[in-house]
Amino acid sequence: MSDEIKRVPAKAMHKSFWNWLVFAHSCYNYERLQGTGFLYAMCPIIDALYAKDDVEGRRKAMQRHTAFFNTEVRLGGAIVGLTAAMEERIAAGEIELADDLMPSVKYGLMGPIAGVGDTIIQAVLSPILLSLCIGLAMDGNVAGPLLYLAMFVALLVVMGRHSFQLGYKKGDEAIMGLLESGLINKLITAAGIMGCTVMGALVANYVSLSTTINLELTTGAFDLQADVFDAIMPKALPLALALFVYWLMDKRGVSALRMMAYLIFGGIVLGYLGIV
């Protein structure tokens, strides 16, 4: 084993990060999922650590990173950074890391990090940004979708870069310490509450559904919307529609495209019948 570990240059680390962030799902397949994308992220690291004539060393290093892998891309950058640090030690002679520690660390971290990353991005980040930008878009302001896209991409890049550096500089102990500290569970719980609150506000403000059914009774006109639904709970029908859509997509596996077709067709039929 070498007494001095060769460090990967900053340029190669920078390229590795962008390879992962942009191409994590390249050649995505059911056999290895993000395995090829992970290998592509590690290519700059391998190029920096192994000479071009070291064919055997480069071959083994590339084979190590073609295995099954799947996690949330932005926070998952921590695993890529950590693997880069381990590759430095393997190139210096700590061969045992390649067979024992590295696979265990990768497979042990990808699940928890995926759970945390998906919760933060899908339940907190995206709904909050949407709540800020949908109003602009509905007023016909093109800045709405552009602002959402710019803020969303910028936050994802910052999150991914910080995670990548955390994995490379702090190692698996820091990541596992963070996952096991209890802070992550509190963060996920808080994120879920905040996400539900924001989504509730979005449904109340931007989902429009009301019935036009009016009945002529002996006591006078009866407006089903005003006299029943609004009297019980304003925005009850939009809430019911949102929950029904969620149930179909989450429990019944209805795709987003098919769900849009159902909503369009249902709206046309119910509108023609004079129900909504």
Side-chain angles (χ1 to χ4, degrees), residues 204-223:
N205 283 281
Y206 300 115
V207 177
S208 178
L209 179 64
S210 61
T211 181
T212 58
I213 296 177
N214 286 279
L215 303 176
E216 290 295 334
L217 305 177
T218 55
T219 56
F222 177 77
D223 188 331

Side-chain angles (χ1 to χ4, degrees), residues 12 33 82 100 104 123 127 159 185 188 193 211 225 230 232 257:
L33 297 184
L82 171 60
D100 300 327
S104 299
M159 184 185 302
N185 292 332
I188 291 177
I193 295 173
T211 181
Q225 178 67 42
D230 289 346
I232 295 175
L257 187 62

Side-chain angles (χ1 to χ4, degrees), residues 249-266:
M249 296 183 69
D250 184 63
K251 303 300 182 182
R252 294 296 182 180
V254 177
S255 67
L257 187 62
R258 182 176 295 182
M259 192 70 250
M260 291 176 62
Y262 288 165
L263 291 174
I264 294 172
F265 179 76

